[in-house]
């Protein structure tokens, strides 16, 4: 089955309002009329509206980097799914390893975020991946299994079409050391198989699985030529329009 590739830029805690506007406009202009891959930009919260304005009327979508799983109320500093939809988001990233390790998010909170976001109609880019230590101890599959099992708990089958999985091996994030195409393919096959167990084969065949971790214009085509690598979640290389657009074009083959 052929799945449309999906490339998203995770800007993390970078840019300024002027920089965000310039980056979003640059990507928009270079991708004018392009529709051979799905594309999303995920800026920091304060710049969501201006990025949404910059790409309005194009096929480029906007995503947030976090969400809090409660309706409005006394949750100082937090932002819920309705607010993200209100400012033009289609996607939200949940379960990123930086939030798991630096902020200390646990599987239970991550699962609440996935359910909250999906229920409200956001598309969730759910990130999973093993550390180097876990890979070297041959625990990659058990770690992915655990993160999937926990993260997807009680996510109803009729909502899983709003789910994207990003396989991001922690050792490849921001290190310049990407997984090889074979390592990525192998992990993606496992993820798809596990997803088919949790849901069913049809949903698993439709599932878009991105690879993330030191994706660059130089390695993007090879990674995404793998049959189960359906796109990329790009950090550092998404901060320049030229390199991000080169990755998007590589996705289209
Ligand atoms: P880098 O592309 O900078 O390695 O970051 C990957 C990532 O964490 C995307 O979410």
């Amino acid at each position: 089955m052929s799945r449309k590739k999906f490339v998203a830029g995770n800007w993390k805690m970078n840019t300024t309002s002027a920089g965000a506007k310039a980056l979003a406009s640059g990507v928009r202009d270079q991708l004018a009329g392009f529709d051979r891959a799905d594309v999303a930009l995920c800026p920091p919260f304060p710049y969501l509206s201006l990025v949404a304005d910059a790409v309005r009327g194009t096929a480029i979508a906007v995503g947030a980097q976090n969400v809090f799983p409660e309706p409005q109320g006394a949750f100082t500093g937090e932002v819920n799914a309705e607010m993200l939809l209100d400012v033009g988001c289609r996607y939200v990233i949940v379960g990123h390893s930086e939030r798991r390790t630096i902020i200390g998010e646990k599987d239970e909170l991550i699962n609440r975020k996935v359910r909250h976001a999906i229920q409200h109609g956001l598309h969730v880019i759910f990130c999973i991946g093993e550390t180097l230590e876990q890979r070297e101890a041959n625990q990659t599959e058990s770690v992915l299994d655990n993160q999937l099992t926990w993260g997807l708990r009680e996510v109803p089958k009729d909502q899983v079409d709003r789910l994207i999985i990003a396989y991001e091996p922690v050792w490849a994030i921001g290190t310049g050391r990407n997984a090889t195409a074979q390592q990525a393919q192998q992990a993606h096959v496992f993820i798809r198989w596990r997803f088919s167990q949790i849901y069913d084969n049809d949903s698993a065949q439709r599932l878009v699985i991105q690879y993330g971790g030191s994706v660059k214009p130089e390695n993007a085509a090879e990674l995404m030529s793998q049959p189960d690598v359906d796109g990329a979640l790009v950090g550092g290389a998404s901060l320049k329009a030229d390199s991000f657009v080169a990755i998007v074009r590589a996705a289209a083959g």
Side-chain angles (χ1 to χ4, degrees):
M1 124 146 231
S2 89
R3 291 171 291 270
K4 194 170 184 183
K5 298 271 200 279
F6 174 36
V7 179
N10 175 7
W11 294 2
K12 306 191 180 181
M13 197 172 74
N14 291 295
T15 67
T16 58
S17 57
K21 202 170 172 178
L23 180 51
S25 313
V27 171
R28 175 198 65 205
D29 294 347
Q30 291 192 41
L31 288 178
F34 177 92
D35 65 357
R36 290 185 296 138
D38 289 327
V39 178
L41 304 178
C42 306
F45 282 146
Y47 310 137
L48 284 169
S49 287
L50 68 87
V51 169
D53 284 345
V55 300
R56 183 158 295 121
T58 75
I60 300 171
V62 179
Q65 299 173 21
N66 189 24
V67 65
F68 194 67
E70 289 288 346
Q72 65 186 43
F75 302 100
T76 302
E78 298 298 334
V79 169
N80 67 25
E82 281 174 7
M83 294 170 179
L84 297 180
L85 289 161
D86 190 26
V87 295
C89 288
R90 174 178 170 85
Y91 296 98
V92 64
I93 298 170
V94 175
H96 195 282
S97 73
E98 285 150 16
R99 296 204 61 85
R100 290 179 192 260
T101 58
I102 302 168
I103 317 289
E105 284 190 13
K106 299 278 179 286
D107 289 314
E108 199 231 323
L109 177 61
I110 291 167
N111 172 248
R112 283 174 54 211
K113 291 184 175 194
V114 172
R115 283 188 283 138
H116 168 84
I118 283 198
Q119 258 160 30
H120 285 82
L122 282 165
H123 293 242
V124 171
I125 301 174
F126 172 45
C127 303
I128 57 175
E130 81 288 357
T131 63
L132 187 58
E133 208 182 6
Q134 291 164 333
R135 173 164 282 268
E136 286 174 347
N138 280 324
Q139 291 167 350
T140 299
E141 292 189 351
S142 64
V143 169
L144 297 177
D145 188 338
N146 240 313
Q147 290 173 337
L148 283 169
T149 306
W150 266 98
L152 301 180
R153 260 183 63 190
E154 291 173 35
V155 174
K157 194 157 145 176
D158 63 358
Q159 294 176 3
V160 294
D161 283 349
R162 291 205 281 270
L163 199 64
I164 295 96
I165 292 187
Y167 169 59
E168 298 209 309
V170 178
W171 48 273
I173 296 177
T175 59
R177 178 185 168 191
N178 58 287
T180 64
Q182 290 70 25
Q183 285 171 325
Q185 168 65 13
Q186 203 173 17
H188 286 219
V189 166
F190 176 79
I191 292 165
R192 199 178 304 286
W193 169 78
R194 182 69 188 108
F195 196 85
S196 76
Q197 277 200 325
I198 300 173
Y199 296 103
D200 58 42
N201 192 48
D202 282 355
S203 311
Q205 289 308 314
R206 285 195 301 272
L207 177 70
V208 168
I209 308 177
Q210 298 175 316
Y211 166 78
S214 298
V215 177
K216 306 179 267 275
E218 300 77 47
N219 60 23
E222 194 192 353
L223 283 160
M224 289 186 279
S225 68
Q226 299 299 307
D228 288 277
V229 179
D230 308 316
L233 183 56
V234 187
S238 72
L239 294 173
K240 291 215 161 65
D242 288 355
S243 50
F244 183 67
V245 167
I247 293 167
V248 172
R249 292 194 182 281

